Amino acid sequence: MPSEGGLSAEHVLEFPGGYTRTTGPVIGRFLTELRGGRIVGVRTAGGRVLVPPLEYDPATGDAVTGEYVEVGPAGTVRAWAWVAEPRPSHPLDRPFAWALIELDGADTALVHAVDAGNPKAITAGTRVWPVWRGQRTGHITDISCFAPEVTTIVSPVRTVYRLQAGGALQVFLEGVRRGVFVGGRCGGCGKVYVPYRLSCPECGIPMADQVELPDTGTITTFAINNLPDPRAPEVPFVSAYILLDGSDVPMISLVGGVPAHEVRQGMRVRAEWVPESERTLSMANIRWFAPTGEPDLEL
Ligand SMILES: [Zn+2]
């Protein structure tokens, strides 16, 4: 700080070779154990375990017992502060957390760095383990940092399975391969269900007969999806319930050939089929339903 009217100069107090301090027996024991890869605390007369150990119990002022107790090595974060921009003197050169860590078996918390990667990966209660330095010298930095417990792994999953269509689905998919929607008419209530099924869900009786429905219908409800789907033409895309002409229950399908925000209830649509040579026994034969251009229907 410049002083008014006087001379001023910057002074540096530095011990380039390091300033040698004696540790005393208690901290000395702690650091010696660290060099050996162990973390110890000291027991107080009241039975609590202080980590790092102290010569006097801060709660009572009494001398501690001299009984050293190995704790950890894992512990639980009790409080933490995120360091977004580490300084040169910090233990890590990437963002990390300073944390109060209560090691298993200890009654007090130790301050150390947690290499959590990002602040969302640490919270009060996070379990952490020490990361030991390869070369230990008997210093608190023999633990280079703590790291969150491994709780998840990423493993690739791929399951190939064959779906055996039941009798009803077989009938429907064979129709779809021909470019026809096959439904079933109930002999009791007269309702037409598509896809084809073996019995009426309302009457509980077998379907009276199969009916072939046209590939045109009306959108009854729809949803705009913003997550990509391999079957969809683009994002956003629309999936909709489509009431095929002559059917009493809608079926679900993609809608294409129209911007998502232009899709509406009552819109008339027609199935767009993949070329006959590419068809298989699957719903993939229907690319999607596209607007016919007819006037909307009142639902
Ligand atoms: Zn029925």
Side-chain angles (χ1 to χ4, degrees), residues 190-202:
K191 278 187 182 167
V192 172
Y193 291 89
V194 68
Y196 178 71
R197 50 186 300 153
L198 295 176
S199 62
C200 175
E202 282 184 26

Side-chain angles (χ1 to χ4, degrees), residues 7-76:
L7 294 171
S8 73
E10 189 175 89
H11 285 264
V12 176
L13 177 65
E14 188 180 21
F15 299 88
Y19 180 71
T20 304
R21 294 167 52 188
T22 56
T23 59
V26 175
I27 295 296
R29 173 69 181 263
F30 175 68
L31 297 176
T32 304
E33 296 279 1
L34 277 186
R35 191 177 59 193
R38 292 174 299 275
I39 310 168
V40 298
V42 70
R43 199 177 297 283
T44 66
R48 284 159 39 89
V49 176
L50 309 179
V51 179
L54 298 170
E55 291 170 19
Y56 295 92
D57 182 348
T60 63
D62 294 338
V64 294
T65 61
E67 181 197 341
Y68 291 90
V69 182
E70 186 170 352
V71 296
T76 304

Side-chain angles (χ1 to χ4, degrees), residues 185-191 193 199-205 207:
R185 189 193 317 276
C186 171
C189 63
K191 278 187 182 167
Y193 291 89
S199 62
C200 175
E202 282 184 26
C203 310
I205 57 172
M207 287 293 170

Side-chain angles (χ1 to χ4, degrees), residues 109-296:
L110 171 87
V111 175
H112 217 299
V114 176
D115 189 10
N118 73 78
K120 286 184 179 152
I122 185 168
T123 182
T126 298
R127 296 281 298 161
V128 291
W129 286 73
V131 177
W132 295 95
R133 207 173 283 281
Q135 199 81 33
R136 294 191 293 267
T137 60
H139 195 271
I140 187 64
T141 57
D142 284 352
I143 298 172
S144 48
C145 61
F146 281 76
E149 205 161 74
V150 176
T151 55
T152 58
I153 56 167
V154 175
S155 58
V157 174
R158 179 179 142 88
T159 311
V160 179
Y161 61 97
R162 183 170 295 279
L163 185 66
Q164 195 72 41
L169 188 56
Q170 179 88 19
V171 168
F172 180 72
L173 291 179
E174 276 169 357
V176 163
R177 185 161 57 185
R178 290 186 286 121
V180 167
F181 291 106
V182 177
R185 189 193 317 276
C186 171
C189 63
K191 278 187 182 167
V192 172
Y193 291 89
V194 68
Y196 178 71
R197 50 186 300 153
L198 295 176
S199 62
C200 175
E202 282 184 26
C203 310
I205 57 172
M207 287 293 170
D209 45 25
Q210 290 178 13
V211 287
E212 294 197 352
L213 297 167
D215 63 357
T216 52
T218 306
I219 292 174
T220 60
T221 57
F222 64 94
I224 296 176
N225 306 276
N226 289 293
L227 294 177
D229 184 300
R231 295 162 299 178
E234 60 197 1
V235 174
F237 69 92
V238 172
S239 51
Y241 276 103
I242 293 157
L243 188 64
L244 289 182
D245 296 338
S247 166
D248 289 290
V249 290
M251 55 177 264
I252 198 161
S253 182
L254 292 176
V255 175
V258 55
H261 67 272
E262 287 178 21
V263 173
R264 52 195 183 267
Q265 288 181 303
M267 187 177 234
R268 296 283 297 153
V269 287
R270 181 191 303 277
E272 232 168 70
W273 302 91
V274 303
E276 227 169 318
S277 58
E278 294 171 24
R279 287 188 203 160
T280 57
L281 206 58
S282 89
M283 291 298 279
N285 298 339
I286 308 151
R287 191 170 282 141
W288 52 66
F289 280 76
T292 62
E294 296 165 87
D296 290 358

